Amino acid sequence: TRGAQLGLAGAPAGEAEWRFGVAADVQYCDAGDHRSAFGALRRPRAALGVARRAARWWLEHEVDLAVVLGDLVDRRARLDGSQAAAMAEALAAFSHDRLEVLHLVGNHDAELFSRQELRNMLNINVEVGAGGGDGGDGDGD
């Protein structure tokens, strides 16, 4: 089966196995606890410790690839201009020699940084939708 070929759960014994780590919505910044617009308690300063614990867990369990699904930085970082420093700290939390991490861009990230800044910070080498939003190679097809 395709799942067995990919090393997914249920693969026959002896088949290659892949381990993935996933994190989403870290939303770190050096700001105190507050309530979101929906009333949920937010702890942006504590998010960095959570990110570090996730990375340690991934290392201990020898994941093959970790994917961070964007929103590394909380929007509140914009209030004091600390978004670049917050991004650097959040990225450092996931940075280890033995850990392969793929960072995706979230809406908070896109609001705080230009596309070029995100490409540089997240080491993104792919131009997506370069042809004016047609979702492809720019030729309009």
Side-chain angles (χ1 to χ4, degrees), residues 6 32 37 42 72 78 115 127:
L6 295 174
R42 305 288 305 278
L72 284 169
R78 173 180 27 212
R115 286 183 180 196
E127 182 72 28

Side-chain angles (χ1 to χ4, degrees), residues 26-29 47-49 51-52 55 58 66-74 83-97 99-106 109 113 117-124:
V26 173
Q27 297 183 7
Y28 167 71
C29 75
L48 199 58
R52 288 180 181 133
W58 294 335
V67 181
V68 179
L69 302 176
D71 291 345
L72 284 169
V73 177
D74 190 278
Q83 61 265 35
M87 178 65 88
E89 289 184 78
L91 288 170
F94 293 110
S95 181
H96 296 275
D97 291 341
L99 185 60
E100 183 74 28
V101 180
L102 172 64
H103 290 281
L104 302 180
V105 176
D109 308 320
F113 303 100
E117 288 172 321
L118 289 168
R119 280 189 204 101
N120 293 339
M121 288 185 279
L122 303 178
N123 196 28
I124 298 172

Side-chain angles (χ1 to χ4, degrees), residues 28-95:
Y28 167 71
C29 75
D30 189 17
D33 297 354
H34 64 278
R35 297 262 175 207
S36 74
F38 303 104
L41 180 61
R42 305 288 305 278
R43 294 188 163 142
R45 191 174 289 133
L48 199 58
V50 174
R52 288 180 181 133
R53 284 193 302 277
R56 279 194 305 268
W57 192 94
W58 294 335
L59 285 165
E60 290 167 7
H61 291 85
E62 299 178 350
V63 301
D64 297 293
L65 176 67
V67 181
V68 179
L69 302 176
D71 291 345
L72 284 169
V73 177
D74 190 278
R75 289 179 179 127
R76 293 175 69 109
R78 173 180 27 212
L79 297 176
D80 65 1
S82 65
Q83 61 265 35
M87 178 65 88
E89 289 184 78
L91 288 170
F94 293 110
S95 181

